[in-house]
Amino acid sequence: MSSVTTESDRFLSNGERIIIGHRGLSSLAPENTMAAFRSAVDHQVGWVEADVDIIADGTIIICHDSTLDRTTNRTGRYDDLTVADLAGIDAGGWFSSQFEGEPLPALRDLIELMNEAGLNANIEIKPNEGGKEATLRLIDGVVAQLERLRPGLKVIVSSFSHLLLHLFKQRAPHVPVGCLYESRTLSDDWRSTLEIVGADYIHPEDSGLTREKVQAFRAAGYGVNVWTVNSLSRANELFNWGATGVFSDIAHQIPRR
Ligand code: G3P
Ligand code: CA
């Protein structure tokens, strides 16, 4: 079956699929660390994904969970940290001794790598648990960091919180945004949500995703980037259905064409 996308697809520059290293190249290096993002660069993966939230002094950090327990040598929530704490947190040793001492990164660090290496990124803003003021500070902090990107780099901002994403889009209308959905939350009002948010992309979960759904998203004018796809044959099937991109822990193994 041939792909339903074409060379002129506005989401695929030069016909290249969007292959996104999920939390960096997280099969080879600890997720959401600079080592994982640099590994993507080293393996010619053009895009990375990073999860971001805010800490006490307004620094935007990169971390998937709401606590430090799973991916660092510390425990508990990170809300009270400041930027001075980040270098002393080991976010790599849990993965392997090779990465011991790898610090918890700030979004600022990823932006610098993007500028240096010509790396594109999907920044996923985590639904913030600290209330309205913290959420607005988080959004404004991400906008401020993205303003430091050099021209020509591509970025997509996404979130499972479509309300947060709506507020982001109002503040940064020029930045493409994608609504994240788990399979169980992908209800039939997706088109209304995407229109209200002003979304460019939909980022559905892979599990249970059908050809009909992918083609409906594309027919409605949205790019479709699917998470998390760690099977080469499944990635190929999704692209043949018209998906524009995939998030993968093995992004270095997925062909760009
Ligand atoms: O953005 C795609 C994917 O990262 C969403 O799920 O839980 O890995 O952040 P999660
Ligand atoms: Ca994520």
Side-chain angles (χ1 to χ4, degrees):
M1 168 112 23
S2 65
S3 169
V4 298
T5 57
T6 70
E7 293 294 309
S8 62
D9 192 312
R10 75 182 176 97
F11 295 106
L12 306 177
S13 63
N14 303 319
E16 280 199 1
R17 303 157 164 183
I18 303 172
I19 312 293
I20 307 167
H22 179 234
R23 311 180 192 170
L25 199 41
S26 57
S27 57
L28 300 184
E31 66 175 60
N32 281 324
T33 63
M34 292 310 296
F37 303 133
R38 279 192 296 268
S39 183
V41 173
D42 292 344
H43 288 81
Q44 287 82 50
V45 173
W47 285 77
V48 292
E49 183 252 6
D51 302 287
V52 303
D53 203 345
I54 192 166
I55 56 174
D57 64 354
T59 300
I60 308 299
I61 63 160
I62 302 179
C63 188
H64 178 271
D65 300 353
S66 301
T67 70
L68 299 165
D69 301 19
R70 181 178 63 87
T71 58
T72 79
N73 63 343
R74 300 269 289 270
T75 58
R77 297 182 64 89
Y78 48 65
D79 315 58
D80 291 337
L81 298 178
T82 67
V83 69
D85 297 312
L86 300 183
I89 296 174
D90 178 358
W94 69 273
F95 186 84
S96 84
S97 56
Q98 179 193 344
F99 295 101
E100 261 172 31
E102 184 69 32
L104 191 72
L107 178 57
R108 166 178 289 274
D109 304 322
L110 175 57
I111 298 288
E112 282 167 15
L113 177 65
M114 291 170 70
N115 285 337
E116 282 165 27
L119 182 65
N120 304 310
N122 174 198
I123 306 301
E124 180 189 337
I125 306 180
K126 307 302 291 181
N128 182 274
E129 298 172 10
K132 175 182 173 184
E133 190 191 331
T135 296
L136 296 179
R137 287 175 77 212
L138 169 59
I139 293 169
D140 289 340
V142 173
V143 171
Q145 287 303 318
L146 295 182
E147 285 171 355
R148 301 176 54 240
L149 281 174
R150 68 171 166 83
L153 295 179
K154 294 180 192 143
V155 67
I156 302 170
V157 169
S158 64
S159 185
F160 284 106
S161 168
H162 303 150
L163 176 60
L164 184 158
L165 206 54
H166 179 53
L167 294 171
F168 176 89
K169 190 70 172 176
Q170 288 180 327
R171 285 163 166 74
H174 56 288
V175 177
V177 302
C179 289
L180 272 160
Y181 282 96
E182 294 179 354
S183 302
R184 64 184 176 83
T185 61
L186 182 52
S187 51
D188 289 340
D189 66 348
W190 59 265
R191 187 192 305 260
S192 306
T193 299
L194 267 63
E195 286 180 8
I196 290 167
V197 166
D200 305 87
Y201 293 89
I202 184 166
H203 289 178
E205 185 177 5
D206 179 36
S207 173
L209 188 63
T210 62
R211 177 203 304 265
E212 289 69 31
K213 269 280 185 315
V214 171
Q215 292 182 345
F217 299 148
R218 293 308 313 276
Y222 299 105
V224 180
N225 300 325
V226 183
W227 59 277
T228 299
V229 183
N230 290 333
S231 151
L232 300 186
S233 61
R234 177 60 170 171
N236 201 42
E237 180 174 57
L238 290 164
F239 286 120
N240 284 338
W241 291 351
T244 50
V246 293
F247 297 85
S248 179
D249 301 327
I250 54 165
H252 57 310
Q253 296 180 26
I254 299 179
R256 276 183 278 184
R257 289 179 183 272

